[in-house]
Amino acid sequence: MWKILRQIARAGIPSEPAPFATEAGEDGAIVRIREELLDILGQALAIRQVDAGSCNACEMEINALTNPYYNLEGLGIKFVASPRHADMLLVTGPVTRNMETALRRTWEATPEPRLVVALGDCACNGGIFGQSYASCGAVANVVPVDVTVPGCPPPPLEIMRGILAAVRRRR
């Protein structure tokens, strides 16, 4: 045990400090989006994420939004488990026939004024799956969509921009 403690004392803190956000580049865009979201919302935004049949790549990017770099919860935006508590639905993947009824019920359970954001190429236009015997295709074929965020998968910054566009639309 002493050997490990000596090694820790010699090595010190191997991590580097967190980067500071600047007004240039991607960091600046994140800062501007954060400021505008806080100005518009003034309160919390609850999002219900629905996987309608995706490959989970979009979910990984959504998960990245909750890390300290993007800090979505610091903006007052949180993910909720029930559509009855949600202001917005964030839908990923092409809507499979098995998920068609579940997505429609989730949309109906979300209180007005509800927003729907289709996230990723599959949710926007069916992606490589299209419309077939097993897939309804795009989310817009099942429920009305307010904003689409294309990409396979879209990066977290684009997801934040899509959420901001939806919130602007509601305002």
Side-chain angles (χ1 to χ4, degrees), residues 16-125:
E16 59 188 46
F20 290 102
T22 61
E23 288 300 319
E26 186 174 296
D27 289 341
I30 293 169
V31 170
R32 285 190 301 277
I33 289 172
R34 281 183 188 157
E35 289 171 356
E36 190 168 350
L37 273 170
L38 285 174
D39 288 343
I40 291 173
L41 287 176
Q43 60 182 2
L45 174 70
I47 299 175
R48 170 68 172 130
Q49 193 271 324
V50 180
D51 180 353
S54 75
C55 67
N56 291 334
C58 293
E59 280 77 12
M60 296 300 287
E61 298 300 320
I62 292 169
N63 191 28
L65 287 175
T66 61
N67 71 27
Y69 186 75
Y70 294 102
N71 193 19
L72 206 61
E73 288 198 15
L75 299 173
I77 299 173
K78 60 182 179 176
F79 291 94
V80 294
S82 171
R84 299 193 187 280
H85 301 145
D87 303 312
M88 175 187 292
L89 294 179
L90 194 61
V91 187
T92 61
V95 182
T96 61
R97 298 282 178 198
N98 294 335
M99 282 297 294
E100 181 180 8
T101 305
L103 178 60
R104 195 169 285 121
R105 284 183 181 171
T106 302
W107 181 79
E108 290 168 357
T110 307
E112 291 284 344
R114 57 185 157 233
L115 297 167
V116 178
V117 176
L119 185 65
D121 286 342
C122 295
C124 293
N125 57 25

